[in-house]
Amino acid sequence: MECRTELYAGKAKSVFTTDDPDKLVLRFRNDTSAFDGKKVAQLDRKGMVNNRFNAFIMEKLEATGIPTHHEALLSDNESLVKNLDMLPVECVVRNIAAGSLCKRLGVDEGIDLKPPTFEFFLKNDDLGDPMINEYHIESFGWGKRDEVEAMKVLTFKVNDVLTALFKTAGLLLVDYKLEFGRYHGAIVLGDEFTPDGCRLWDIETREKLDKDRFRQGLGGVVEAYEEVAARLGVNLPSA
Ligand code: ADP
Ligand code: UDP
């Protein structure tokens, strides 16, 4: 599939039109950012690792009946996806307390959350992605009530599927962020599922194997992503 024009260059991925208006190409770059773009770096192999990791996860989700935008892996750094009309919200499920939740509520990192908790954030870097609730989504017209409901149901379904999958790889799925869009009237999972947008800890040692390694300057960022991929059986070309 040939890329035509670049529609959008985000912080980590670029989006291209194709000759089919229903399809886009996502290019996963090596750019890495945190703190709403305030900390940035180029990390060798990250684009390739995340592209292949994402394809693996999206295929697992599709196989359990979760509608995703993923169509095909095109190359090391590119995937073909459905062209979604994205909702400007981020859906976060947390199984264990970490990150902004700990800061906001003054709770210790590592507390088990039973049941898992759910948060919506507005996708707006200038405002620092503020937390919003479902009434805001409806009142400001970012999404309809049934769309809000569908995003919640699908995000929790992803939790069931991926908590079990990561457990088989000796990993705890601490939390993660999903983005959804509209496709011919249905709510479909878009964007990506990679260690850039979730927290994964080793089940035994609780070692962090996700983007917190970058946020916290722990080093070995892409090596950690590759370790997770290897444990899951994601096919990566050798370095
Ligand atoms: P950001 O916009 O946060 O900097 P990225 O660098 O990951 O993030 O950019 C990818 C952009 O592509 C995001 O804005 C995301 O919402 C959008 N996107 C992801 N999947 C799709 C899709 N299937 N259709 C349309 N847009 C998408
Ligand atoms: N997350 C993300 N993009 C964002 C904000 C959060 O992918 O713009 C992910 C993050 O990696 C984590 C989860 O969502 O897995 C919850 O993030 P949190 O609210 O704790 O924010 P953080 O402190 O990580 O910025």
Side-chain angles (χ1 to χ4, degrees):
M1 179 70 62
E2 211 171 298
C3 294
R4 293 172 95 186
T5 39
E6 187 175 69
L7 266 187
Y8 177 74
K11 296 186 293 299
K13 300 192 292 302
S14 300
V15 184
F16 298 87
T17 57
T18 67
D19 45 23
D20 178 348
D22 266 349
K23 304 277 158 52
L24 296 173
V25 169
L26 280 191
R27 180 176 297 162
F28 289 71
R29 308 192 315 266
N30 288 341
D31 301 277
T32 307
S33 75
F35 311 120
D36 298 315
K38 288 181 202 81
K39 178 174 179 174
V40 294
Q42 280 277 319
L43 298 175
D44 259 9
R45 287 171 65 82
K46 197 206 68 157
M48 180 276 291
V49 172
N50 275 3
N51 183 39
R52 288 178 176 266
F53 192 103
N54 177 65
F56 178 92
I57 297 288
M58 291 281 171
E59 282 165 18
K60 292 278 181 203
L61 295 175
E62 279 284 355
T64 67
I66 294 166
T68 82
H69 68 160
H70 182 72
E71 292 276 311
L73 194 65
L74 295 179
S75 67
D76 271 357
N77 286 73
E78 292 177 339
S79 285
L80 185 68
V81 299
K82 297 180 182 78
N83 183 359
L84 306 185
D85 172 21
M86 299 300 289
L87 282 79
V89 297
E90 303 185 334
C91 302
V92 171
V93 160
R94 301 177 188 270
N95 295 305
I96 298 176
S100 71
L101 180 75
C102 296
K103 284 202 202 98
R104 196 179 335 119
L105 301 183
V107 297
D108 287 338
E109 181 179 90
I111 294 172
D112 279 340
L113 301 171
K114 287 197 178 129
T117 195
F118 185 101
E119 294 160 351
F120 284 114
F121 294 89
L122 180 65
K123 209 173 140 58
N124 184 325
D125 281 340
D126 293 340
L127 299 177
D129 291 351
M131 192 164 81
I132 52 173
N133 67 35
E134 33 203 278
Y135 291 91
H136 296 133
I137 298 177
E138 273 193 75
S139 302
F140 291 104
W142 296 317
K144 297 198 168 63
R145 182 171 300 193
D146 60 325
E147 294 175 327
V148 168
E149 207 42 47
M151 289 193 292
K152 282 201 306 196
V153 168
L154 289 171
T155 304
F156 276 119
K157 200 167 171 202
V158 166
N159 199 36
D160 293 339
V161 175
L162 294 189
T163 298
L165 178 72
F166 285 116
K167 196 171 173 198
T168 65
L171 295 162
L172 292 168
L173 177 58
V174 173
D175 58 31
Y176 56 91
K177 180 268 297 177
L178 301 181
E179 293 180 27
F180 293 89
R182 305 179 183 99
Y183 189 73
H184 297 294
I187 287 291
V188 169
L189 176 61
D191 204 48
E192 66 179 287
F193 193 104
T194 69
D196 267 0
C198 69
R199 289 191 168 90
L200 295 164
W201 295 351
D202 181 87
I203 247 169
E204 299 296 332
T205 64
R206 297 211 156 196
E207 185 188 6
K208 295 178 201 279
L209 297 168
D210 54 66
K211 195 157 101 176
D212 270 351
R213 299 199 70 82
F214 176 69
R215 293 190 188 95
Q216 299 174 7
L218 300 175
V221 180
V222 178
E223 290 79 358
Y225 293 17
E226 287 177 310
E227 158 83 21
V228 172
R231 290 200 204 179
L232 285 173
V234 180
N235 184 22
L236 294 181
S238 49

